[in-house]
């Protein structure tokens, strides 16, 4: 991808990533900690994670095209390097979302939670998945923040004046 309606595609596609990764991370964390929430989300949780997973390489590919069409300074290179590290985090979100969905579906089908709680043998697995989900969700959200911050710095580091221009002070004369 290169341009969408005359604008670099990366500038537009990155907004999907910025919204979907934290949203997926939050949904996964909630579903992993509260199985009733995972049951209510149903197939939406892994589908959301799949859309998120697909959006990352699209934004990255568009970013690689844009990187070749802008002046390559250290800030752009840092942003690109950070961006390349997001896919494993989002892959983890997807895998865990599928597992949480599958476990919630299996629990609903067997009725094990409604008939006296989680089996003792399943509790360590549920706790492990919840902890891992929280760690991956936090890692993905922090990584998106770091990538976005570096991208904003690369785009705006010399693109504005710290002093206001004299023309738009808002006073009516």
């Amino acid at each position: 991808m290169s341009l969408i309606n005359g604008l670099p595609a990366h500038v537009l596609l990155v907004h999907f990533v910025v919204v979907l990764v934290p949203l997926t991370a939050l949904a996964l964390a909630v579903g992993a900690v509260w199985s009733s929430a995972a049951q209510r989300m149903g197939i939406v949780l892994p589908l959301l994670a799949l859309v998120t997973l697909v959006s990352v390489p699209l934004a990255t590919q568009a970013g690689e095209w844009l990187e070749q069409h802008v002046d390559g300074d250290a800030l752009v290179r840092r942003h690109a390097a950070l961006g390349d590290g997001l896919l494993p985090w989002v892959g983890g979100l997807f895998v865990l979302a599928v597992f949480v969905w599958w476990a919630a579906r299996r629990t609903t089908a067997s009725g094990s939670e409604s008939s006296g709680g989680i089996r003792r043998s399943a509790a360590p697995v549920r706790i492990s998945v919840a902890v891992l989900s929280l760690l991956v969700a936090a890692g993905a959200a922090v990584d998106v923040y770091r990538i976005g911050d570096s991208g904003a710095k690369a785009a705006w580091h010399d693109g504005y004046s710290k002093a206001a221009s004299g023309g738009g002070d808002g006073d009516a004369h």
Side-chain angles (χ1 to χ4, degrees):
M1 295 196 119
S2 56
L3 298 173
I4 297 175
N5 201 26
L7 293 173
H10 180 71
V11 175
L12 300 171
L13 294 174
V14 75
H15 288 86
F16 289 107
V17 174
V18 167
V19 171
L20 291 175
V21 171
L23 182 64
T24 302
L26 179 62
L28 173 62
V30 169
V33 172
W34 293 288
S35 61
S36 62
Q39 291 168 356
R40 285 188 183 143
M41 283 187 273
I43 193 72
V44 171
L45 178 61
L47 288 177
L48 175 63
L50 179 62
V51 170
T52 303
L53 182 62
V54 169
S55 72
V56 169
L58 290 175
T60 303
Q61 183 181 22
E64 288 171 357
W65 178 89
L66 181 58
E67 184 180 14
Q68 295 172 0
H69 291 83
V70 297
D71 293 334
D73 64 10
L75 294 173
V76 171
R77 287 190 299 277
R78 175 169 165 66
H79 175 66
L82 287 172
D84 289 339
L86 183 59
L87 191 57
W89 287 110
V90 176
L93 288 176
F94 174 72
V95 169
L96 287 164
V98 169
F99 184 81
V100 167
W101 165 75
W102 174 80
R105 185 173 168 207
R106 192 172 141 202
T107 300
T108 301
S110 69
S112 64
E113 272 200 277
S114 62
S115 63
I118 302 168
R119 295 187 322 262
R120 289 204 186 271
S121 62
V125 172
R126 291 245 344 180
I127 292 168
S128 298
V129 169
V131 168
L132 186 58
S133 295
L134 291 171
L135 290 172
V136 170
V142 167
D143 207 33
V144 163
Y145 170 80
R146 291 178 62 222
I147 295 164
D149 182 61
S150 71
K153 286 177 180 172
W156 291 97
H157 72 282
D158 63 356
Y160 70 97
S161 172
K162 292 186 182 187
S165 65
D169 63 358
D171 291 338
H173 295 327

